[in-house]
Amino acid sequence: MSTPGTVGNTRKLNFMSNQLSKDVTLVFMFEPLTKGKLFSDIFPVCWKVMKFRAGSIDNGLAMYTADTGFLIPQVDSGNIVFSSSARRCQSGQVCELVTEDGDNFLKAPVKAENADNIVQCKVKTDFPATLGFGIFDKSGTRMEPIFTWTDIPKGDTLSLALTPKLKIYAVTDIKVNQVLKGEVQSPKLFEENLIELPPLSKWEVYIEENTNAVRIRSATSS
């Protein structure tokens, strides 16, 4: 199910490999959409992990639905984030994070003033808050976290410009929904603003012969 206003911004990226000489694991994450001190008060969350096996022909699909929202994150197994509660909030809307009976919850969004390309959340909790942002999956029933913030003071407003820049790295020690506490110690293989891509794009994962390095290149026919 798609929320009105998100269909035109949906992006599908098809990644393919053809008999790689070694196993490759790709980790997908987004560049922060708002100002803040990275790895101090704003943390990227691993969006997806794709595995490509040596000697096989593999395909993986990453779908950015643009069905955005805020979530109240919970942490399990150390750094793994899941959503205890989530609320849709689209471009041009603002929602509120408030406290009731000692628990935080997100109120329904309303139209924001003079913020057509911004999604916002006002923090009105009784104590410094933790908040997440992400996208709903294709079914519209599961939130996929892509950022979290910690210790947000009461009275602050998070404002995010929806220009989703996707980054991909080849690493094996990061899991889906894992909070990143520092820079990925691996070369960046891919960096694209998804809104600038066509609705469907194709990408080849390959091994460079001379260096044995993992690479990603466009495989979309012109």
Side-chain angles (χ1 to χ4, degrees), residues 3-16:
T3 298
T6 67
V7 176
N9 287 329
T10 296
R11 296 291 183 269
K12 295 180 181 179
L13 292 81
N14 186 19
F15 293 85
M16 304 166 286

Side-chain angles (χ1 to χ4, degrees), residues 40-72:
S40 175
D41 53 21
I42 178 172
F43 300 90
V45 178
C46 175
W47 179 43
K48 291 186 182 295
V49 171
M50 282 186 191
K51 294 185 178 181
F52 300 85
R53 301 298 182 185
S56 65
I57 300 173
D58 292 328
N59 285 269
L61 181 67
M63 182 173 179
Y64 175 82
T65 64
D67 189 2
T68 58
F70 290 100
L71 64 130
I72 298 174

Side-chain angles (χ1 to χ4, degrees), residues 6-196:
T6 67
V7 176
N9 287 329
T10 296
R11 296 291 183 269
K12 295 180 181 179
L13 292 81
N14 186 19
F15 293 85
M16 304 166 286
S17 70
N18 186 1
Q19 302 183 65
L20 298 175
S21 59
K22 62 181 178 181
D23 291 348
V24 171
T25 300
L26 299 182
V27 169
F28 294 62
M29 62 191 66
F30 286 90
E31 183 176 281
L33 302 172
T34 186
K35 293 181 180 179
K37 192 173 181 181
L38 192 61
F39 309 121
S40 175
D41 53 21
I42 178 172
F43 300 90
V45 178
C46 175
W47 179 43
K48 291 186 182 295
V49 171
M50 282 186 191
K51 294 185 178 181
F52 300 85
R53 301 298 182 185
S56 65
I57 300 173
D58 292 328
N59 285 269
L61 181 67
M63 182 173 179
Y64 175 82
T65 64
D67 189 2
T68 58
F70 290 100
L71 64 130
I72 298 174
Q74 300 293 321
V75 178
D76 186 28
S77 301
N79 294 327
I80 306 300
V81 169
F82 65 95
S83 170
S84 66
S85 177
R87 179 78 73 172
R88 280 185 173 81
C89 194
Q90 304 290 335
S91 180
Q93 294 182 326
V94 57
C95 64
E96 293 183 354
L97 181 67
V98 300
T99 305
E100 186 174 281
D101 298 327
D103 293 323
N104 291 348
F105 74 97
L106 288 157
K107 297 176 70 173
V110 297
K111 182 176 174 55
E113 296 293 331
N114 302 316
D116 290 342
N117 298 313
I118 303 293
V119 59
Q120 296 179 315
C121 185
K122 295 181 178 180
V123 177
K124 297 185 176 181
T125 52
D126 293 345
F127 40 83
T130 298
L131 186 65
F133 179 80
I135 57 174
F136 287 89
D137 65 3
K138 185 179 179 180
S139 71
T141 59
R142 184 174 65 88
M143 170 68 86
E144 299 174 344
I146 57 177
F147 302 111
T148 65
W149 294 263
T150 59
D151 298 323
I152 308 169
K154 179 179 180 180
D156 270 18
T157 298
L158 288 177
S159 297
L160 288 77
L162 294 182
T163 52
K165 185 175 288 186
L166 179 64
K167 299 179 178 182
I168 302 176
Y169 303 84
V171 291
T172 58
D173 58 348
I174 297 175
K175 299 178 180 179
V176 173
N177 291 354
Q178 181 176 333
V179 179
L180 278 299
K181 299 297 181 68
E183 295 285 354
V184 177
Q185 300 302 308
S186 179
K188 184 168 51 185
L189 306 179
F190 179 102
E191 183 175 5
E192 295 283 347
N193 181 346
L194 297 187
I195 302 305
E196 295 177 353

